[in-house]
Amino acid sequence: MSAVSRPTSTDVARRAGVSRATVSHVLNGTDHPISEATRQRVLAAARDLHYAPNASARALRAGRSNIVLLPMPRSGSLPGQDVFLAHLGRELAGMGLDLLLHGDHTASGVEGARMWAELRPAAVFLDTSRGTQPAVALLRQAGVQAVLLSGVPAGPYAPSVPIDPSAVARVATRHLLSQGHRRLSCLVPGGEWAALAERRFEAVVEAAQIENALVERVDCSLAVSSIAPAVARWRNPAHRPDAVYAYNDEFALMLIYALREAGLDVPRDIAVVGSGNQPLGAILRPTLTTTHFLVPDLAHAVASSLRRLLDGRELDPALAAAVQPRLIVRESA
Amino acid sequence: MSAVSRPTSTDVARRAGVSRATVSHVLNGTDHPISEATRQRVLAAARDLHYAPNASARALRAGRSNIVLLPMPRSGSLPGQDVFLAHLGRELAGMGLDLLLHGDHTASGVEGARMWAELRPAAVFLDTSRGTQPAVALLRQAGVQAVLLSGVPAGPYAPSVPIDPSAVARVATRHLLSQGHRRLSCLVPGGEWAALAERRFEAVVEAAQIENALVERVDCSLAVSSIAPAVARWRNPAHRPDAVYAYNDEFALMLIYALREAGLDVPRDIAVVGSGNQPLGAILRPTLTTTHFLVPDLAHAVASSLRRLLDGRELDPALAAAVQPRLIVRESA
DNA sequence: CAGTTATAGTGACACGTGTTACCCGCCCGA
DNA sequence: TCGGGCGGGTAACACGTGTCACTATAACTG
């Protein structure tokens, strides 16, 4: 393996027969006047050497970077995580910003903030659960220009994107109520889903209260056996809810299957609504009524807000609309 | 907003009443002897000031960073992407490495390589489609210590993890053949799935050839209407395949649904196998035979290999096993 | 007591970049 | 002829860190 030296701007300067300062002026497009001839020489030299400026040195000198740091979101805190990240990354790249997802999703609090601060990012995009007041303060003190929080409730100490992963439950419940359903039930899976499930359950209860509707709680897991007792009970019309919010589309499909096995018809006997707009929901019959976020719009609004924040402006007004979940009415409810 | 100064090691030194060099020795745990008393003073000062070392300056001085850069994988190139990333991030964090996912998945080739090189990462983990020879050469020249490629075929110019997203198709096909099926069919969805689908189809054909089995190709999309013609044809036993490889679990579930609607029984009339081990496959009847990667194992082996590569050793031998897809036999085939 | 060794601490340099202030030659106007 | 503006280019500093070489005191060893 040849011990090639990583080319620096000095190498480019030497090859072009000019000073390093000139190289910098050319490559960064300063308004400093440079003759076209030398400009071309410098560009050619940089290309020949495959010169790539050292981001560390640049950031050190400038006192800031163009990094947008996104600590690895814990599962469920961002809707459509991989799609969201893909869109956000492309959007930010178009704005001259580098999205960096930082690895360990267990890091949090002040301890995590110190790790994130080490990179001296221009901006950090955090969920509220980890963006505590001291964490945000530490980041600010480390020179992070923009700290954007995601979640509800919004912290008063930093601008926030009110992405509420439980909002889909609210929208779904409103739809059920508008259809005249008053006896509701809600699946509440445990395990890895527990945290989000509790919040969605609360959202359902809250929305139901407005119409004085009652909500039965069904703890479960992703196995038919876990909902079998409830389904058996519901065979008796006296104990049967009008409609079920099933936490998400997977649970909804499982529930619909179990109901059919028990001889109950969806939506005639029980209406079912899920969340997430999984493709299968549009395919299997009865097709699934669901609620979801427009993830691309959301990513666009977040990217735009970050850019505006860095420019000293306020959040993108389009955010308010983008965080609203959408309802897709199909056959199941 | 108060214009607080970002604390540097100089500030810590001043507060502790020692020199900056001493601060560095204490905070980095050098073998240089430092009295316990001053050690504590320094640590206290650092804590009080919420000191976080500047990663840029550190990397600049050291000539290397502890960043593992993973350019955003294009969809389908990594199995179980979000889970994989979560595991990989945690594993690397435990090894003192920072996983950074870099934003724009459209960047590629030499142009992309220059962007990635700017960060001067310690290691880069790339799929072979973007890890072309010149790209790898550029990264190496920029001082990247370890370039690890993911995909098949392995490039001869860099160590590779032979993760083959189409290997699941091979395993599925072998299972079908071992069950005595000789007339096979394969779903080949277009659109966003086209690239991966083609490769999986080829893998099926290849595996089938060994037993002189024929493979019918069924182009389709994620809509029942797209497979309706094939299903209609299969109602005639003379035109009916013994088994279908359905690209993935979603398509498999869609297919099973369509077959049942057409009065065909799975697996009696036609066997079906998918890929991905989606939870629903284990729930709906007939439960779905499927193939998938053990993503956590894969992430562990990749993390371990990166660490070893940085230490100048060879890849983790556990990789060979970790890249093998697993077969889960259930009712459908 | 002289000489070696460990302990505790510091000064100064280099990493690669962007930018400010400066220099030099030229042309123009008075 | 002289001063001044301008196009074209450069020297030199600062960013924050890690580490090498070095000093000084104290502790042994013979």
Side-chain angles (χ1 to χ4, degrees):
Chain A
M1 198 64 56
S2 63
V4 283
S5 62
R6 336 158 189 209
T8 74
S9 74
T10 305
D11 298 322
V12 176
R14 182 169 25 235
R15 185 171 233 267
V18 296
S19 79
R20 214 175 47 68
T22 303
V23 171
S24 181
H25 283 131
V26 170
L27 263 41
N28 295 298
T30 323
D31 55 359
H32 193 92
I34 298 285
S35 77
E36 186 58 22
T38 55
R39 223 180 73 82
Q40 291 303 334
R41 283 220 312 286
V42 169
L43 290 176
R47 195 168 21 233
D48 292 350
L49 296 176
H50 300 299
Y51 171 67
N54 185 322
S56 296
R58 188 192 292 237
L60 177 58
R61 156 68 207 194
R64 68 201 134 81
S65 67
N66 57 349
I67 290 178
V68 173
L69 186 66
L70 176 44
M72 188 89 77
R74 47 194 60 177
S75 80
S77 76
L78 277 182
Q81 191 176 131
D82 45 355
V83 176
F84 179 86
L85 292 179
H87 277 85
L88 188 65
R90 190 166 34 213
E91 296 267 358
L92 290 175
M95 300 171 173
L97 295 172
D98 285 352
L99 173 65
L100 289 184
L101 189 72
H102 186 246
D104 188 4
H105 74 289
T106 59
S108 74
V110 178
E111 179 198 6
R114 186 159 43 240
M115 298 184 51
W116 307 323
E118 290 188 13
L119 282 172
R120 299 291 190 271
V124 176
F125 184 52
L126 262 182
D127 49 304
T128 43
S129 70
R130 288 191 286 181
T132 61
Q133 172 130 32
V136 170
L138 194 153
L139 289 173
R140 287 250 171 73
Q141 193 182 349
V144 176
Q145 301 170 64
V147 178
L148 184 57
L149 264 41
S150 121
V152 170
Y157 43 87
S160 298
V161 180
I163 297 177
D164 180 3
S166 66
V168 283
R170 205 180 334 271
V171 170
T173 304
R174 288 211 198 98
H175 172 66
L176 293 177
L177 294 170
S178 78
Q179 299 293 100
H181 303 308
R182 285 299 177 274
R183 303 168 64 190
L184 305 183
S185 184
C186 180
L187 298 193
V188 186
E192 56 179 307
W193 301 280
L196 184 52
E198 286 298 337
R199 298 196 49 198
R200 289 192 173 169
F201 175 65
E202 288 167 19
V204 170
V205 171
E206 247 176 63
Q209 273 176 344
I210 297 172
E211 299 286 343
N212 289 321
L214 284 184
V215 181
E216 174 195 25
R217 173 188 178 124
V218 178
D219 289 286
C220 66
S221 69
L222 194 46
V224 173
S225 60
S226 75
I227 55 170
V231 170
R233 192 169 358 113
W234 295 344
R235 298 186 62 169
N236 179 344
H239 298 150
R240 185 186 302 164
D242 301 328
V244 183
Y245 176 64
Y247 175 69
N248 72 15
D249 287 358
E250 280 180 350
F251 282 88
L253 292 172
M254 173 176 82
L255 175 61
I256 289 177
Y257 171 81
L259 290 173
R260 180 167 43 198
E261 292 288 301
L264 294 173
D265 183 82
V266 175
R268 186 163 43 77
D269 297 322
I270 298 184
V272 174
V273 55
S275 286
N277 192 23
Q278 296 288 326
L280 272 182
I283 293 173
L284 307 183
R285 305 290 298 270
T287 55
L288 183 61
T289 294
T290 189
T291 53
H292 74 304
F293 290 95
L294 292 183
V295 175
D297 288 12
L298 204 51
H300 175 76
V302 168
S304 155
S305 293
L306 282 166
R307 178 72 265 179
R308 294 169 67 114
L309 230 44
L310 288 175
D311 295 339
R313 304 164 64 197
E314 76 292 357
L315 297 184
D316 187 336
L319 258 177
V323 298
Q324 296 300 330
R326 299 302 202 268
L327 172 70
I328 299 181
V329 180
R330 298 206 191 97
E331 296 168 352
S332 73
Chain B
M1 201 60 58
S2 61
V4 282
S5 62
R6 322 141 205 225
T8 74
S9 74
T10 305
D11 298 322
V12 176
R14 182 167 26 235
R15 186 172 233 268
V18 296
S19 77
R20 215 177 46 68
T22 302
V23 171
S24 180
H25 284 131
V26 170
L27 264 41
N28 295 299
T30 324
D31 55 359
H32 195 94
I34 298 287
S35 77
E36 187 58 23
T38 58
R39 222 179 73 83
Q40 292 302 334
R41 283 219 314 287
V42 169
L43 290 175
R47 194 167 23 232
D48 292 350
L49 296 175
H50 300 300
Y51 171 67
N54 185 322
S56 296
R58 186 191 293 236
L60 177 59
R61 156 68 209 196
R64 65 199 138 83
S65 66
N66 57 348
I67 291 178
V68 173
L69 187 66
L70 175 44
M72 188 92 74
R74 46 195 57 176
S75 79
S77 77
L78 277 181
Q81 190 177 133
D82 45 355
V83 176
F84 179 86
L85 291 179
H87 276 85
L88 188 64
R90 190 166 34 214
E91 296 267 358
L92 290 176
M95 300 172 173
L97 296 171
D98 285 352
L99 174 65
L100 289 184
L101 189 71
H102 186 250
D104 188 3
H105 73 288
T106 60
S108 74
V110 178
E111 179 197 6
R114 186 158 42 241
M115 297 183 54
W116 307 324
E118 290 187 13
L119 283 171
R120 299 292 191 274
V124 177
F125 184 52
L126 264 181
D127 47 305
T128 43
S129 70
R130 288 191 287 182
T132 61
Q133 171 129 32
V136 170
L138 196 153
L139 290 172
R140 285 251 171 74
Q141 194 182 348
V144 177
Q145 301 170 63
V147 179
L148 184 57
L149 265 39
S150 120
V152 169
Y157 43 86
S160 300
V161 180
I163 297 177
D164 180 3
S166 65
V168 283
R170 204 179 335 271
V171 169
T173 305
R174 287 212 199 97
H175 172 66
L176 293 176
L177 293 170
S178 78
Q179 300 292 101
H181 303 308
R182 285 299 177 275
R183 304 169 64 191
L184 304 184
S185 185
C186 180
L187 298 193
V188 185
E192 56 180 306
W193 301 280
L196 185 52
E198 286 297 337
R199 298 194 50 197
R200 288 191 174 170
F201 174 65
E202 288 166 19
V204 170
V205 171
E206 246 174 65
Q209 274 176 343
I210 297 174
E211 299 286 343
N212 288 321
L214 285 183
V215 181
E216 175 195 24
R217 173 189 177 122
V218 178
D219 290 286
C220 65
S221 69
L222 193 47
V224 174
S225 60
S226 75
I227 56 171
V231 171
R233 192 171 356 115
W234 295 345
R235 298 187 63 169
N236 179 343
H239 298 151
R240 185 185 302 163
D242 301 328
V244 183
Y245 175 64
Y247 176 69
N248 72 15
D249 287 357
E250 280 180 349
F251 282 87
L253 291 173
M254 174 177 81
L255 175 62
I256 289 176
Y257 170 82
L259 289 173
R260 179 168 43 197
E261 292 289 301
L264 294 174
D265 183 82
V266 175
R268 187 163 41 77
D269 298 321
I270 299 184
V272 173
V273 55
S275 286
N277 193 22
Q278 296 288 326
L280 273 180
I283 293 173
L284 307 184
R285 304 292 297 269
T287 55
L288 184 61
T289 294
T290 189
T291 52
H292 73 304
F293 291 94
L294 292 183
V295 176
D297 288 11
L298 204 50
H300 175 77
V302 168
S304 155
S305 292
L306 282 167
R307 179 71 266 178
R308 293 169 66 115
L309 230 43
L310 288 174
D311 296 342
R313 306 164 63 197
E314 74 291 358
L315 298 184
D316 188 336
L319 258 177
V323 299
Q324 297 300 331
R326 298 304 201 267
L327 172 70
I328 300 181
V329 180
R330 297 205 191 97
E331 296 168 350
S332 73

